[in-house]
Amino acid sequence: MNYHWNWMFFFQEGDDGLRYYEWILSGMTWTTVVSLGGLALAMALGSVLGIMRTTPDRRLVAIGDIYVDIFRNVPLIVQLFMWFFVFPEFLPEKAGMWVKQELPYYVTAIVGLGLYTAARIAEQVKSGINSLPRGQRNAGLALGFTEWQTYRYVRLPMAYRIVLPALTSESMNIFKNSSVTYAVGILELYFQYKQIIEKTSQVLEITIVVTLIYFTLAFTMNRILAVVEKRTRVPGYISGGQGGH
Amino acid sequence: MEAFDFSVISENWRFLAEGLQYTVQVTVVAMVGGIVLGTLLALMRLSSKKALQLVAAAYVNFFRSIPLVQVILAFFLIIPLVLQLITGELTPIGAEKSAYFTFAIFEAAYYSEIMRSGIQSVPRGQVGAGYALGFTYAQTMRYVVLPQAFRNMLPVLLTQTIVLFQDISLVYAIGATDFFGAADKITQRDLRPVEMYTTVAVVYFVICFLLSRLVKRLQAKVAIIR
């Protein structure tokens, strides 16, 4: 193969005066920011939606179900384009202009990624709560807890421990999914990858490096949550152990 | 906001339909290729040969830990290099064709995990029973284990296919004209993002929503018979 290997190109300067490895580091930072931001939003909203879907109130269940159906059945890239190019048009003129011109891109991207991931988290939280024996809620109510208190003190502490492996794997997925935000102008790792290929044609070296970085980011997330899993384990109740895959 | 202009859609419906057709084609090819390759990988992973196990595990973990957009772009650039290595001449294959390979190879990793748990869901005694009847390994798999594994996992395989159908939209990264790509190209020309992107979102939603409801029904059926 007449491919010209050149590992040293990472130390060459790109057109903006920065070296290529600095492009990669900056991409990595943006990937981390967008992913963690999206994850925080997704965990919060996903938990609320997941809990709503297990309440006795039918309206709350319906809202949660509809949300999940919508956000799981439209591709992420289409959702992001909707938030960027369609949503502002439906706002009052001033607000639309503000979203288009003032609001930083990365905020919209984080919201888009977070809302998409929230649907997946909601599924996990719901299945965690539903996996608990009914008796736990009844016992709580019998003790005089309100509905909310049975969630807060009885069901959620157990449900979250049960779904932690699944949440771990969603937390790893969001790093991969964040790569789609390049399409709406976020200068994250995949964007830099694409750009470096265009500038240097060193496809193989950069592919290897970027692959390793994505792998490392997801693996770090996995290890952090494995520690959480270990710390929060209830002795003798959940066998636990293996972090999510 | 300006009024929603349906004429933009009616004028361009043929181009959109061609894009959707391409999306469906890639989905079907990648599903068939992915399930075949994925089943092989699952069998390797569950075989008694350590080397086969390692190769299959490496394949699956590798593709499951990198973003799909990156794989789409990398394969688009690397497949011609590999072909050049084999045939000796430069053969650019184009974005549209490279996507078929990429998705089949990428999805195989996900299908293989599903098939693996499907194979494991068949009681071990059945394998022993197959051997006791004088079946070879291949016959045991072909006539006893795989049909049941496939059947048990059908709802999950189809759910993964719905995900795949949505993921085809990421060929945007290499400029191929799938359903979303078609809408995006029309937007670039006519500057009607609201009509175009909304159409794509609604059509995707309707198709995926209906399919996922069908899968849910199927799941109930399979569950009862078991």
Side-chain angles (χ1 to χ4, degrees):
Chain A
M1 185 150 64
N2 44 15
Y3 184 82
H4 182 70
W5 288 91
N6 174 17
W7 284 98
M8 296 312 289
F9 89 90
F10 287 110
F11 299 100
Q12 282 166 15
E13 269 182 24
D15 344 306
D16 60 353
L18 291 173
R19 293 164 202 277
Y20 287 121
Y21 78 85
E22 290 172 310
W23 290 24
I24 294 177
L25 287 179
S26 132
M28 225 174 107
T29 312
W30 277 112
T31 291
T32 313
V33 168
V34 171
S35 304
L36 294 183
L39 186 61
L41 173 61
M43 285 285 182
L45 181 62
S47 296
V48 172
L49 289 164
I51 293 169
M52 278 165 65
R53 297 172 77 198
T54 62
T55 54
D57 188 335
R58 288 203 170 176
R59 280 164 308 172
L60 294 181
V61 175
I63 294 172
D65 285 353
I66 291 170
Y67 182 95
V68 171
D69 275 332
I70 291 177
F71 283 84
R72 287 193 72 170
N73 286 315
V74 176
L76 175 57
I77 193 169
V78 179
Q79 289 188 25
L80 288 172
F81 273 62
M82 292 293 284
W83 291 121
F84 270 81
F85 305 113
V86 180
F87 173 67
E89 305 293 332
F90 284 88
L91 292 173
E93 197 162 341
K94 267 196 177 160
M97 284 312 257
W98 181 79
V99 170
K100 275 198 270 190
Q101 295 177 349
E102 304 286 325
L103 194 67
Y105 278 13
Y106 68 88
V107 174
T108 318
I110 286 174
V111 170
L113 185 63
L115 294 182
Y116 169 83
T117 310
R120 294 148 156 267
I121 306 263
E123 285 282 83
Q124 306 297 353
V125 171
K126 176 192 161 191
S127 72
I129 296 172
N130 283 344
S131 73
L132 297 171
R134 262 161 198 251
Q136 298 217 355
R137 168 170 175 264
N138 294 340
L141 293 176
L143 282 172
F145 281 180
T146 61
E147 186 75 32
W148 162 243
Q149 284 173 325
T150 67
Y151 277 109
R152 169 67 185 82
Y153 296 107
V154 182
R155 295 196 270 172
L156 292 184
M158 226 47 229
Y160 275 106
R161 287 179 169 89
I162 292 171
V163 295
L164 199 55
L167 294 181
T168 303
S169 100
E170 283 307 328
S171 313
M172 292 164 73
N173 280 339
I174 204 167
F175 281 95
K176 289 190 286 169
N177 287 334
S178 73
S179 60
V180 179
T181 62
Y182 94 92
V184 286
I186 305 300
L187 309 183
E188 45 70 72
L189 187 55
Y190 174 77
F191 178 91
Q192 300 293 3
Y193 169 72
K194 201 171 159 105
Q195 208 183 9
I196 292 175
I197 288 178
E198 277 160 20
K199 302 269 189 240
T200 71
S201 331
Q202 300 296 334
V203 186
L204 298 181
E205 296 90 333
I206 184 72
T207 301
I208 292 169
V209 168
V210 169
T211 302
L212 285 175
I213 294 176
Y214 272 116
F215 186 78
T216 313
L217 288 175
F219 189 71
T220 311
M221 202 70 210
N222 180 306
R223 287 300 92 196
I224 293 172
L225 288 168
V227 172
V228 175
E229 205 174 318
K230 217 172 187 176
R231 284 267 174 94
T232 58
R233 189 180 300 164
V234 178
Y237 194 79
I238 298 166
S239 54
Q242 338 175 339
H245 286 283
Chain B
M1 173 202 152
E2 297 168 60
F4 196 91
D5 183 3
F6 283 97
S7 68
V8 184
I9 301 164
S10 55
E11 278 161 23
N12 294 299
W13 76 270
R14 190 175 282 276
F15 191 58
L16 287 172
E18 280 168 15
L20 185 56
Q21 190 196 348
Y22 172 76
T23 298
V24 173
Q25 281 170 359
V26 180
T27 307
V28 171
V29 170
M31 175 183 71
V32 174
I35 290 179
V36 171
L37 187 55
T39 306
L40 285 177
L41 285 165
L43 289 173
M44 283 167 70
R45 194 124 188 224
L46 295 171
S47 83
S48 49
K49 304 236 173 11
K50 202 86 213 179
L52 289 182
Q53 284 176 22
L54 281 177
V55 171
Y59 182 104
V60 171
N61 289 332
F62 176 74
F63 280 108
R64 279 169 29 117
S65 58
I66 39 178
L68 176 55
V69 259
Q70 196 206 335
V71 182
I72 291 173
L73 178 59
F75 273 38
F76 172 56
L77 299 167
I78 292 171
I79 290 174
L81 289 178
V82 175
L83 286 178
Q84 194 182 9
L85 192 67
I86 299 168
T87 62
E89 48 193 303
L90 198 64
T91 38
I93 61 164
E96 265 81 11
K97 278 189 194 143
S98 89
Y100 286 98
F101 290 100
T102 310
F103 278 97
I105 289 170
F106 183 81
E107 289 299 322
Y110 288 82
Y111 283 123
S112 114
E113 286 294 273
I114 298 170
M115 285 311 291
R116 181 160 72 117
S117 61
I119 293 170
Q120 283 173 329
S121 75
V122 178
R124 287 197 78 95
Q126 297 210 13
V127 178
Y131 286 144
L133 284 172
F135 280 2
T136 61
Y137 169 79
Q139 285 172 325
T140 313
M141 286 299 155
R142 164 77 184 77
Y143 295 109
V144 181
V145 177
L146 288 182
Q148 298 184 73
F150 195 73
R151 196 206 156 116
N152 291 347
M153 285 297 131
L154 198 55
V156 192
L157 289 170
L158 291 175
T159 302
Q160 181 62 35
T161 305
I162 297 173
V163 173
L164 163 65
F165 178 66
Q166 294 186 29
D167 281 348
I168 307 291
S169 57
L170 295 177
V171 295
Y172 177 81
I174 50 175
T177 310
D178 70 317
F179 185 42
F180 174 64
D184 188 61
K185 279 170 192 169
I186 296 166
T187 304
Q188 302 303 329
R189 194 193 60 199
D190 297 353
L191 303 176
R192 305 297 303 194
V194 174
E195 286 81 357
M196 279 300 125
Y197 297 140
T198 309
T199 307
V200 174
V202 170
V203 171
Y204 255 116
F205 172 76
V206 170
I207 295 175
C208 296
F209 178 73
L210 291 179
L211 287 177
S212 62
R213 282 297 135 106
L214 283 177
V215 171
K216 245 185 199 164
R217 278 191 166 181
L218 183 76
Q219 202 161 19
K221 265 191 177 171
V222 174
I224 289 168
I225 294 167
R226 257 199 296 169

